Amino acid sequence: MSCGVTGTTLRGMTHVPPPAEELRLLDAELWQLDNRRAQLLARRAWLVAALQAVPQPPGAPAPHAVPARPETDAPRVQNVLLLLGGVLLTVAAMVFTLVSWGHLGIAGRAAVLGVLTLGVLAAPVPLLRRGLRSTAESVAGLGLALTALDAYALHETVFAGTDGTAYAAASTATLAVLWVAYGLLPRTSTLRLAVPAAAAAAQLPLLLWALAAETGPYGCAAALLVTAGLDTVVALRPTPSTPTPVRVTAAVGAYGMGGWGALTAGLLSWTAAGPSAAARAAALLLLAAGITVGASWRLATQSATGGVTSADGADVDGADVDGATTGDAARAGAGESEAGSGKAAVGDGAAWRGRAGVRAPFGRVAGPGEDGVAVGHAVFGALLLVLAGGGLLRAVLPGDWTVPGYLACGVALLAALRGPLPTAVRRGFVRASGVAQAVAAVCALPLVVVALLGPLGWAREAWSGVPSDARAAVTVHTPWPAFPTQVLLAPVVVAVVLALLVRDTTWRQGALTGATVLAWATVMTIPSAFQLPYLVALLVPGLLTAGALWAAASRPHPWIALAVGTSVPLVFLALPSQPATLAVLSALTALFAAASLRPRLTPVTAPTALVHATALACAIGAAAGWAQHTALLVLAVPTAAALLAARLGDPRATVPVEASGIAAAVLAIGLAVPDRPMLALVLALCGVLAAGTAVRPDRRPVGYAAAALFVLAAWVRLAAWDVGTVEAYTLPVTVPALVVGVMRRRRDPRASSWTAYGPGLASTLLPSLVAAWADPHWVRPLLLAAAALLTTLLGARHRLQAPLVLGGSVLVLDALHELAPYLVQLTGALPRWVPFALAGLLLLTLGATYERRLSQARQLRDFLGGMH
């Protein structure tokens, strides 16, 4: 290009061809490729179908036959064979040592075992030189097992008088050192079994020495924890000489020995008889907590550094790798390094994408997931700190203050929020504090449950007498739990912590709700816990209800729920005394009715007020001795509910109010059941209320319920008058139903006769038919036949299906019933061949009809087939 070409000229140049033309050419080429591919696929499908249609000669392989695959591969078979061979040789060596040992002298025994062990341990060297690595591993495993048998043989011959536990401790330590040395030799350093086996053997010496020295449970727990600490160091500080299997073995040992030691220390702390024993157990728990928190700190630090670990386990945090720094993924030049694309070659050439993190203790790559492991370790370590501190306080404080002592230690964990700790560790301390507080609050749950649910027992012993105190008022049928009252400090402290320390906007509302509920439960339990007077037991929930309703005016949640929840045990607490019951129900009705003036509270407070009013009406009726007449007083509640629902404009409030009114009406009906005249009156009044509700445009279907209630009221009144005639019950239903049907047919001539006249006619004709079949006289069947005949004629005259079918069916059935005796006589007079002849005639008729239908079907088929 000429040097005189300027930038302006370059920007003005266009593509050859233009972009639009090039895009058109590309689309055309792609369309041709797709078309060609479709043709090839169609041809391939035809060829496959043709090959499948051609018969194959016998013995020829089927097309597209897939050869049988082996169920396993050669390396797995090799490993299984080597493993079985090593196991069998180990078993043979054990049998020789344990059974055939006595046939040789001392020199012979030593020579045989020594030569055999040295030979087996030396065998992996030539095997490795020849490339037989798996075989060398199997032989090395046999050699390690023989060294353990050598230790046993030495104890049986040379050290037979020594203590077995002490000798086991010394031998396991010696074996661990020897196995490590064997695994680190230059010729055997590539074997992967020796060092992990040494790590496994190293789990036993300290524990066995503690058992041999008879240090007791404290010494054994200390040995377990020290071993777990050493395992933790090995697992969390990988070095080039610490391969992954060793770290895995150390991690398993850390969890196993540490968990066993922590459990032992916890039991010792709980059963400590004095401050000295509690202090020793606390020291063990502090050791376990230090190991666990240290592991959490190490994991959190590794996760935060963002370095990587080489293939052999060496930390290379922040180091330059192949010209690219892992921390910032710097580019070392185009094509020379893959760090710019988020890759860095480490160790044996493995590529890590992006900020890979560090290698975890078990060979994983530490990243964001390691935070969860670090948090879990921090939670466990913090709980161990709570157990340690709580155990010390339990030893110096009275027994009733055990739960508050542990709670204080749990709350003290929140001091970690201000400490220079990693985020994962701080998060774990906070969660452990939450667990400790939750457990302490649960300890107070039995007292709260009895205080809230115990008064329900007065439902069977209402107005039996004023209890002596608040505790007697809640333990009418439930014993008071054997828990100290000091446990009530737990929900109070937890409520304070939630209200003062939870500042995050996401959790703030839930924390305030939880604090409110905990404080409410504590206040409701205090009167019975401290055996306050019975009047106080009534005043406390009453004041709480009023206060909750006042607070709900500005913030309904959770105060409105607390108000309703407090009023229920208050009502049952007032049941022992008649004046208290009337006063409490009156006050609650007034409180919730006044709260219903606020529209945002009406959907809850209005139904609650109606429920309390229903209970008040029942209480007034019972106090006045009105018996069934109480139902009339209860009907005032559904009346008020119907009037209130008509004035409310919010559907959220209308439905609960109407449901409360319906429930009160059902209760009134149930109260009036023993007195039939009163039941008829109550049903009629309920029908009036339902009819008044059906006047509203959105409640038209309630009119059906009103009609049903009026009918039931009439039936109950007739039953009260001992009227046994069926038509007296059915005609009052039939006449209005037919009138309504006539009006509907005039308004809508297309309405079905079954909808207009069917219910009314069936309500009289069918019950009368049943009564006529059981009536021995002739008057009822005759009148029924006349009515059915008239109904049939009217149906035929006006061409209405329902009157015609119902009237005709009832007429036929009534006639059959009346003519049955004569038909029986006629049947006896006929010859015996007549029924068979009639049956044959019926079958011939059916056959002819069936043949005619088939002929018509064939004609229709031919006709349709001839159409173009």
Side-chain angles (χ1 to χ4, degrees), residues 169-190:
S171 61
T172 51
T174 304
L175 288 175
V177 174
L178 292 177
W179 291 351
V180 168
Y182 179 74
L184 297 180
L185 291 176
R187 299 295 181 86
T188 57
S189 59
T190 57

Side-chain angles (χ1 to χ4, degrees), residues 773-798:
W773 276 55
D775 194 347
H777 305 287
W778 58 273
V779 178
R780 185 191 299 273
L782 181 62
L783 294 176
L784 177 61
L789 178 61
L790 179 61
T791 302
T792 304
L793 294 177
L794 289 175
R797 172 68 179 80
H798 297 283

Side-chain angles (χ1 to χ4, degrees), residues 409-423:
C409 297
V411 175
L413 291 177
L414 297 176
L417 295 175
R418 300 183 179 274
L421 299 176
T423 303

